Amino acid sequence: MLVRLPDGSERELDDGSSAADLASAIGPRLAKDALIAVVDGEETDLGTKLHEGAEVAIVTPGSDRGLHTLRHSTAHVMAQAVLNLWPGATFAIGPAIENGFYYDFELPGGATFHDDDLATIDAEMRRIIGARQPFVRSELSAESALELMADHPYKQAIIRTVTGADSDAAAGNDLSSEVSGDVISFYRNTDDFVDMCVGPHVPHTGRLGHFALQRVSGAYWRGSEDQPMLQRIYGTAWDSKKALKEHLHRLEEAGKRDHRKLATELDLLSFPTELGGGLAVWHPKGAIVRKLMEDYSRQRHTDGGYEFVYTPHLANGKLFETSGHLDFYAEGMYPPMEMDNGEYYMKPMNCPMHCLIFGTGQRSYRDLPLRLFELGTVYRYERAGTLHGLLRIRGFTQDDSHIYCTNDQLLDEIGGLLHFVLSVLRAFGFDDFTFNLSTRDQSKSVGTAEAWDLATDALAEALRLHGLDYEVREGEAAFYGPKIDIDVRDAIGRTWQLSTIQADFNLPERFDLTYVDSDGERRRPIMLHRALFGSIERFFGLLVEHYAGNFPAWLAPVQVQVLPVADAHRGYAIDIVDRLGSAGFRAELLASSDPLGKRIRNAKMAKIPHVLVVGDDDVAAGTVGDNPRGGEVERGVEFSSFLDRLRAESRVSGE
RNA sequence: GCCCGAAUAGCUCAGUUGGCCAGAGCGCUGCUCUUGUAAAGCAGAUGUCGUGGGUUCGAAUCCCACUUCGGGCUCCA
């Protein structure tokens, strides 16, 4: 028979040949590397028999598909190890995930995994790998499958779900890595161990081994809080020892950027225990960076035609009844304070108060679009287990804008917002964006179909006019209107959801907001919510990680430190500091009894953009020695040319 | 909120099976050194061992509760 290879060539094989036979026919190296095959677009085991005219690709470890298979097969090995080590344990799902895999278990008697268990499991896995156990596929009817999995209730539940016997559970985890359709497939490694799985898998366990078990955690069955909590183990797996080591190294490097670690090292801010969970205090070094960010944001909003407002941190509960927050999000709000005229709450959002501002006095169509902006601090009662440094915090400041406009203005406003948001983000060194358009979920939303269509079309059209590709997320919109979410990619390739532009038909209705149109009719404005940084705190944390603490010159808490070589040069150094200060730069003297080398080291560890060393030569010639962050030392730089250099470097880029 | 860990000096951490005044490095203070590009030398101070209970002749160490933090799950207007 004749099969076709990915490069378009064809190859003659004996009838009844398998994908493994094809790999052997192509070459011994490929035969050795082969993990699975892709036949007519479907991933399959190497043992699969080929047919005449099949399109066949052999998958090797280094590819994405190969790595995925290695990880998935490693998960099976871990399951076998755990079931061997904990008699009576049962297992649920064990998919490959980005960079690794996990498997969920339930241990007998409600036992839990402990960190120490990882080493034991690891050792057992290596024994299984050493045994070169084959992965043998078989297929059973649902009935036989249920019988085979008689001791494993979670596997049975999966079978019932995929065969439609239990439709209620269908909405839950993606079980596609386990089974599909009416025929249930299994992979058997030994007489004692068989796992239900669609596959494909590596030929035998000996192909695995470059893995590391990482952590234990709890995980709800089917991802739902009202289901039992299972015991999950995460691991990572690669195609070579080198790749594994590199991955672990990358994790370590990412750890060094951790904003919580850098915040301590650079004395930016802290989370004192006495303050309570999820609340931060900003130290002078962190506060100056924050102030620079906020000043920049304010300047851009001024230029962008926004009007600034301020609103209080507390409000009467009636306000949040009107806005609907108490109906929908009471659990996420701090509990009320009893006052003489009712219950007061910390505000979880600024929009109700901005609506009050719109609602005072009569608005004309001539007033629109009305763009209100506030750096508004809000408080949300995040559940204890969800707090995470600055990235998930209970008190934070939104750079919150609410724009009230007419239907006719909607497209222009959204277009303007997109341009504005991207321009500001570029100033902070982000230039890789992805866009998501979330659309209506019919089952839970307010407003007319007409209004939704109008707003959804306007959001999509604005993206198109800007030439921005986007993905549609069906049914992901908030109940009150569709939205665009903007994700950014940081310096080490991680993506963060950042800005959002949301249309809202709900609040103008609830607050009965109107404007008088040109024909004298009262009409309801559309409201756009726009968060750019989202939360100043979270954005700051993200920036710390993005820059790895090396704030660009315009944001650095201290831009220049001046180091006199000896006490004799102290006067000159102070003069340099003063001249820099007069020119609007943040400069400090670093004179102490420490030797120069030590002071340079301290300045470098503080990630100062420019370390200036001044000695006899400089005093005589009016120069400085510039030791720039990440660059080469340059002696004898004219002060004026250093100033030009610093000015150029301190300009905000990307506008 | 749920599962697993952790909490010792300003920071990073050590502290063996419970046993005299609880340790190191960095930092800090003082003195000496007066320095040309990533750690000078000497001396000194610093702790209710997260908080509160309990077990014990004796607790940083064992047990319980709470607080806070870390990794996940869930949640995220």
Side-chain angles (χ1 to χ4, degrees):
Chain A
M1 66 178 162
L2 213 55
V3 297
R4 187 181 295 275
L5 302 181
D7 63 2
S9 68
E10 295 188 328
R11 195 164 280 262
E12 184 70 41
L13 293 171
D14 295 337
D15 286 353
S17 293
S18 67
D21 295 330
L22 170 64
S24 298
I26 296 170
R29 174 75 186 273
L30 188 64
K32 186 164 161 289
D33 283 351
L35 291 181
I36 58 166
V38 178
V39 179
D40 300 331
E42 295 281 321
E43 290 188 3
T44 171
D45 297 306
L46 279 183
T48 303
K49 302 284 182 239
L50 301 178
H51 62 85
E52 174 66 33
E55 304 257 358
V56 188
I58 303 295
V59 175
T60 53
S63 65
D64 286 347
R65 275 178 154 152
L67 284 169
H68 188 270
T69 305
L70 286 176
R71 287 162 186 160
H72 189 188
S73 297
T74 306
H76 276 235
V77 170
M78 183 168 77
Q80 186 187 156
V82 168
L83 265 51
N84 286 349
L85 292 166
W86 279 266
T90 188
F91 52 168
I93 61 167
I97 54 175
E98 190 180 8
N99 297 330
F101 60 92
Y102 67 78
Y103 218 116
D104 287 346
F105 302 94
E106 188 174 71
L107 301 181
T112 51
F113 286 123
H114 301 268
D115 291 351
D116 305 343
D117 295 330
L118 293 181
T120 316
I121 297 166
D122 186 286
E124 175 65 3
M125 288 173 69
R126 295 194 191 277
R127 186 193 67 75
I128 293 165
I129 286 166
R132 298 169 69 90
Q133 299 171 357
F135 279 86
V136 182
R137 185 187 172 90
S138 60
E139 290 180 353
L140 294 177
S141 66
E143 202 176 318
S144 308
L146 283 169
E147 201 173 308
L148 181 63
M149 290 288 116
D151 295 335
H152 298 293
Y154 296 106
K155 296 292 185 189
Q156 290 191 322
I158 295 165
I159 296 167
R160 292 199 185 92
T161 300
V162 298
T163 56
D166 177 8
S167 56
D168 289 349
N173 275 18
D174 177 16
L175 302 172
S176 57
S177 68
E178 302 299 320
V179 276
S180 66
D182 293 336
V183 174
I184 313 292
S185 57
F186 288 87
Y187 281 81
R188 182 175 286 283
N189 289 118
T190 70
D191 291 345
D192 296 325
F193 182 77
V194 59
D195 194 358
M196 186 169 81
C197 185
V198 288
H201 279 285
V202 301
H204 62 82
T205 59
R207 299 300 309 274
L208 311 171
H210 306 295
F211 72 91
L213 300 186
Q214 292 171 299
R215 59 186 90 89
V216 305
S217 91
Y220 297 109
W221 166 240
R222 292 190 198 278
S224 170
E225 247 180 316
D226 48 18
Q227 296 285 344
M229 175 156 278
L230 305 177
Q231 293 290 305
R232 177 172 295 180
I233 298 177
Y234 284 94
T236 184
W238 297 84
D239 59 310
S240 68
K241 189 174 179 175
K242 183 161 172 273
L244 172 63
K245 224 174 120 183
E246 282 170 357
H247 175 68
L248 296 176
H249 182 68
R250 276 194 299 275
L251 290 180
E252 207 175 300
E253 288 301 307
K256 286 184 190 160
R257 293 178 173 251
D258 191 307
H259 71 280
R260 293 161 300 186
K261 188 177 155 68
L262 287 167
T264 304
E265 286 173 8
L266 301 177
D267 196 20
L268 303 174
L269 50 88
S270 60
F271 299 88
T273 302
E274 300 88 327
L275 196 55
L279 299 167
V281 288
W282 292 70
H283 303 190
K285 290 268 194 314
I288 181 80
V289 180
R290 173 174 177 162
K291 179 177 180 296
L292 290 160
M293 285 166 56
E294 292 179 352
D295 288 349
Y296 179 74
S297 170
R298 287 197 182 91
Q299 184 57 53
R300 293 298 307 269
H301 280 84
T302 300
D303 297 346
Y306 289 77
E307 298 179 77
F308 288 42
V309 296
Y310 293 95
T311 65
H313 291 207
L314 272 175
N316 191 307
K318 290 197 182 73
L319 178 66
F320 300 118
E321 281 171 24
T322 303
S323 71
H325 288 102
L326 271 174
D327 289 341
F328 289 98
Y329 308 110
E331 280 183 14
M333 293 168 65
Y334 271 85
M337 283 162 267
E338 292 295 337
M339 307 289 274
D340 48 11
N341 65 341
E343 295 183 328
Y344 278 64
Y345 290 85
M346 305 300 292
K347 68 172 166 180
M349 291 202 82
N350 301 301
C351 36
M353 299 190 183
H354 291 185
C355 285
L356 293 180
I357 293 170
F358 184 95
T360 53
Q362 206 166 60
R363 301 290 172 182
S364 154
Y365 74 99
R366 295 177 205 274
D367 298 329
L368 304 184
L370 180 69
R371 308 185 185 100
L372 302 182
F373 173 71
E374 177 177 14
L375 290 170
T377 303
V378 298
Y379 296 87
R380 298 181 181 178
Y381 191 77
E382 303 283 0
R383 292 161 86 184
T386 61
L387 300 172
H388 182 90
L390 287 173
L391 305 182
R392 195 73 180 272
I393 199 169
R394 283 182 175 154
F396 60 95
T397 304
Q398 294 182 310
D399 59 335
D400 213 357
S401 169
H402 295 101
I403 297 168
Y404 300 86
C405 67
T406 69
N407 290 0
D408 293 344
Q409 293 166 336
L410 194 58
L411 177 60
D412 280 351
E413 272 312 299
I414 296 168
L417 271 176
L418 271 174
H419 179 78
F420 182 77
V421 168
L422 297 182
S423 162
V424 174
L425 291 180
R426 285 195 182 96
F428 290 89
F430 298 107
D431 49 18
D432 189 348
F433 307 107
T434 49
F435 302 88
N436 295 298
L437 176 62
S438 295
T439 61
R440 183 177 199 177
D441 179 344
Q442 289 286 354
S443 66
K444 42 177 182 182
S445 55
V446 299
T448 63
E450 201 181 12
W452 275 85
D453 289 346
L454 176 78
T456 309
D457 289 350
L459 290 168
E461 182 62 15
L463 284 163
R464 273 194 295 273
L465 286 173
H466 279 73
L468 304 170
D469 292 334
Y470 62 94
E471 281 189 25
V472 175
R473 296 198 172 162
E474 298 284 351
E476 291 288 306
F479 71 89
Y480 52 72
K483 62 172 176 175
I484 294 170
D485 288 319
I486 302 175
D487 296 355
V488 302
R489 185 175 291 271
D490 76 5
I492 57 172
R494 299 172 298 182
T495 57
W496 308 78
Q497 188 182 325
L498 213 57
S499 312
T500 182
I501 299 171
Q502 311 184 349
D504 186 350
F505 321 117
N506 182 49
L507 282 183
E509 188 81 36
R510 282 176 171 268
F511 282 89
D512 193 24
L513 304 182
T514 58
Y515 64 93
V516 179
D517 210 342
S518 55
D519 58 6
E521 289 291 312
R522 283 182 181 274
R523 297 215 160 77
R524 213 173 277 303
I526 291 184
M527 183 176 173
L528 292 169
H529 301 247
R530 188 240 57 191
L532 201 164
F533 299 151
S535 141
I536 301 284
E537 286 79 357
R538 178 171 176 268
F539 187 71
F540 179 89
L542 201 164
L543 273 189
V544 169
E545 304 209 0
H546 177 60
Y547 293 131
N550 296 302
F551 290 108
W554 75 279
L555 279 174
V558 178
Q559 297 169 303
V560 181
Q561 278 189 339
V562 184
L563 283 54
V565 170
D567 275 354
H569 315 116
R570 190 187 173 97
Y572 180 73
I574 289 170
D575 185 41
I576 296 286
V577 168
D578 289 346
R579 286 158 76 186
L580 285 166
S582 308
F585 293 105
R586 298 178 292 282
E588 285 181 354
L589 176 74
L590 190 57
S592 78
S593 61
D594 284 329
L596 183 64
K598 178 58 174 293
R599 282 180 283 148
I600 288 169
R601 176 180 153 82
N602 287 344
K604 289 294 176 185
M605 295 209 303
K607 301 175 188 287
I608 310 291
H610 288 275
V611 179
L612 299 187
V613 174
V614 292
D616 287 337
D617 300 349
D618 298 298
V619 174
T623 57
V624 296
D626 182 19
N627 183 338
R629 186 176 62 196
E632 295 295 315
V633 173
E634 193 180 343
R635 293 271 300 268
V637 181
E638 290 290 336
F639 179 73
S640 62
S641 62
F642 173 73
L643 211 52
D644 291 343
R645 189 180 290 183
L646 193 56
R647 277 208 185 92
E649 231 174 83
S650 303
R651 262 197 287 276
V652 182
S653 65
E655 287 175 23

